[in-house]
Amino acid sequence: MAVTTEKPPSRRGFIELLVVLGTFVSGVAMAVPGLMYMWPAAKGGGVGKVEVEGASGMAPGDGKIIQVGSTAVIVVRGRSGFRAYSAVCTHLGCLVRWDASEQQFFCPCHAAVFDENGQVVSGPPPAPLPSMVVKEVGDTVFVVAA
Ligand code: FES
């Protein structure tokens, strides 16, 4: 008959292992948001500028939505050039739409209206749509990430 010298795992050892694992998981859970805050690329930073595809084909008064980093942006071609605004409504964060026939932005969530410059015309939004920097290089249009 063989005699084993291994001791069975004790209850105390098991509880200590649980405490170590719990501490590790809690530490990771607290560290990840901090690292994401300090790492701009994780927030959509470092994007630089984004080309507006098909901008040369847009007629005056047209608008289109693009993604700049993690932000939805509406690019509008006005009579004197392109403008861009955050597409996120300043009320509760719904995405606004460009209404080319009325030349204004419309938020479908609570029927807010913003004028062609992003200023609040009606509805509950407390602030205008934030504008974005637009650069035109020849026929190419870029929106610069904030
Ligand atoms: S979220 Fe746009 S009006 Fe409320």
Side-chain angles (χ1 to χ4, degrees):
M1 180 165 139
V3 177
T4 63
T5 57
E6 281 185 36
K7 293 194 301 188
S10 68
R11 183 179 298 176
R12 172 177 279 216
F14 178 70
I15 291 174
E16 286 175 355
L17 178 65
L18 283 182
V19 169
V20 168
L21 283 175
T23 303
F24 176 75
V25 169
S26 297
V28 169
M30 288 189 287
V32 167
L35 290 173
M36 289 179 69
Y37 175 76
M38 291 187 290
W39 191 9
K43 296 189 315 178
V47 171
K49 58 187 179 182
V50 173
E51 181 178 348
V52 181
E53 300 286 335
S56 60
M58 292 171 66
D62 282 353
K64 72 183 307 185
I65 194 162
I66 66 169
Q67 193 74 25
V68 177
S70 59
T71 305
V73 172
I74 294 185
V75 178
V76 175
R77 184 170 197 170
R79 286 178 219 95
S80 59
F82 289 86
R83 302 182 314 276
Y85 300 91
S86 167
V88 179
C89 181
T90 56
H91 180 221
L92 294 178
C94 291
L95 287 184
V96 300
R97 294 188 214 136
W98 173 248
D99 183 343
S101 62
E102 298 290 332
Q103 293 293 293
Q104 60 189 14
F105 299 94
F106 175 72
C107 180
C109 290
H110 305 100
V113 175
F114 301 85
D115 71 13
E116 62 183 341
N117 297 312
Q119 299 297 313
V120 179
V121 173
S122 65
L129 296 173
S131 63
M132 310 283 291
V133 175
V134 175
K135 296 214 183 296
E136 296 182 47
V137 181
D139 283 346
T140 309
V141 179
F142 299 96
V143 174
V144 179

